[in-house]
Amino acid sequence: MNAMSDVTRADSWTLIDRMRRARESSGMSQTAIARHFRINPSTVSRWESGKTPPTYADVRLWAVLTEVPFDWLAGDDFTPSDQGERLTSR
């Protein structure tokens, strides 16, 4: 896939898509992410599959670990209602 099609497709990415993309681009495995969070790798898998939404703090740390801007990772269509709560779609 060329870079241009990636840019076009990026407009429709969900939080889940961006989290997975950031992790893969950083070269980190789900297990490596889980170690940094000190959680079970299955939790990372549930976040990436959309089964369990991450908290605001989880997404902030994910951005730091994968070296992507938090605003890009969280996206415009997601907002934290509180820094300790789960991200929810508007």
Side-chain angles (χ1 to χ4, degrees):
M1 186 178 303
N2 67 38
M4 217 36 190
S5 61
D6 268 358
V7 169
T8 303
R9 197 178 61 153
D11 291 340
S12 64
W13 287 351
T14 64
L15 172 66
I16 295 163
D17 297 327
R18 289 186 297 270
M19 287 178 72
R20 184 178 305 119
R21 181 67 171 212
R23 179 184 58 76
E24 290 171 348
S25 293
S26 73
M28 296 182 80
S29 66
Q30 287 183 342
T31 301
I33 291 280
R35 273 192 224 116
H36 284 282
F37 276 89
R38 295 185 176 158
I39 58 174
N40 191 302
S42 65
T43 301
V44 175
S45 178
R46 286 193 303 272
W47 290 343
E48 287 191 357
S49 68
K51 291 179 181 173
T52 305
T55 65
Y56 179 88
D58 296 332
V59 176
R60 296 269 302 157
L61 180 55
W62 195 284
V64 170
L65 291 175
T66 59
E67 300 180 344
V68 299
F70 171 78
D71 291 339
W72 175 82
L73 189 59
D76 292 337
D77 56 344
F78 286 86
T79 182
S81 55
D82 180 304
Q83 289 192 8
E85 293 184 19
R86 305 247 174 235
L87 290 176
T88 55
S89 182
R90 285 190 214 187

